[in-house]
Amino acid sequence: MKTRFNMDTKAYDTFLQGLNEQYFVEKRGNQSDFRLYFDDLWLADTAVIDDVHRSHGAWAVDLIFASIHNPLKFIKRHITTHSCPKRAAQQGEFMRRAAAKDQRGTLSVSVNPLQVCKN
């Protein structure tokens, strides 16, 4: 039988205080914050990258649509999960080729202009 969850009163007070502070710190987003989702013309010039990684005991396949002009402008979408890594990699390759506007895969994204610090 599962035990009932109990929280220390001091931790609970700290939790409530943090929630109360969020009310004053958070603010509602503007329409310009969501322009990335509504203006989808930039998706015509995107490189599609398939990302196969282990997640929750299975192999997850995600597609990343990254703009070739601005690598920080991207959308990541979960596609499927598989138990076999070979099958997941194969599915990722097929989905990348199907989703790409450029079937040959000549569009690529360079992360060099971002000057990523690996500290």
Side-chain angles (χ1 to χ4, degrees), residues 7-23:
M7 184 182 274
D8 182 50
T9 55
K10 186 175 181 181
Y12 184 70
D13 290 339
T14 306
F15 176 71
L16 286 180
Q17 182 181 0
L19 281 178
N20 197 23
E21 289 174 4
Q22 282 296 105
Y23 175 78

Side-chain angles (χ1 to χ4, degrees), residues 2-119:
K2 291 185 179 181
T3 60
R4 194 172 162 175
F5 177 76
N6 290 323
M7 184 182 274
D8 182 50
T9 55
K10 186 175 181 181
Y12 184 70
D13 290 339
T14 306
F15 176 71
L16 286 180
Q17 182 181 0
L19 281 178
N20 197 23
E21 289 174 4
Q22 282 296 105
Y23 175 78
F24 298 107
V25 174
E26 291 287 320
K27 64 178 184 175
R28 189 173 180 186
N30 298 330
Q31 279 295 105
S32 63
D33 297 331
F34 296 102
R35 190 175 303 141
L36 173 72
Y37 297 106
F38 297 127
D39 297 339
D40 56 355
L41 291 177
W42 67 275
L43 285 170
D45 293 330
T46 56
V48 181
I49 304 162
D50 53 319
D51 177 29
V52 179
H53 60 279
R54 193 159 175 86
S55 175
H56 301 293
W59 293 91
V61 178
D62 296 338
L63 288 182
I64 302 169
F65 300 88
S67 173
I68 59 172
H69 305 296
N70 180 8
L72 290 176
K73 186 186 249 188
F74 65 91
I75 295 178
K76 182 178 179 181
R77 294 288 182 247
H78 175 72
I79 303 301
T80 185
T81 54
H82 289 286
S83 58
C84 175
K86 286 185 177 180
R87 179 75 174 129
Q90 183 183 39
Q91 187 72 24
E93 175 76 16
F94 289 153
M95 293 304 293
R96 180 189 58 78
R97 287 175 37 200
K101 301 286 186 220
D102 179 31
Q103 294 285 327
R104 295 166 296 175
T106 57
L107 293 177
S108 63
V109 176
S110 175
V111 294
N112 292 337
L114 299 179
Q115 299 174 353
V116 178
C117 179
K118 296 182 180 179
N119 271 354

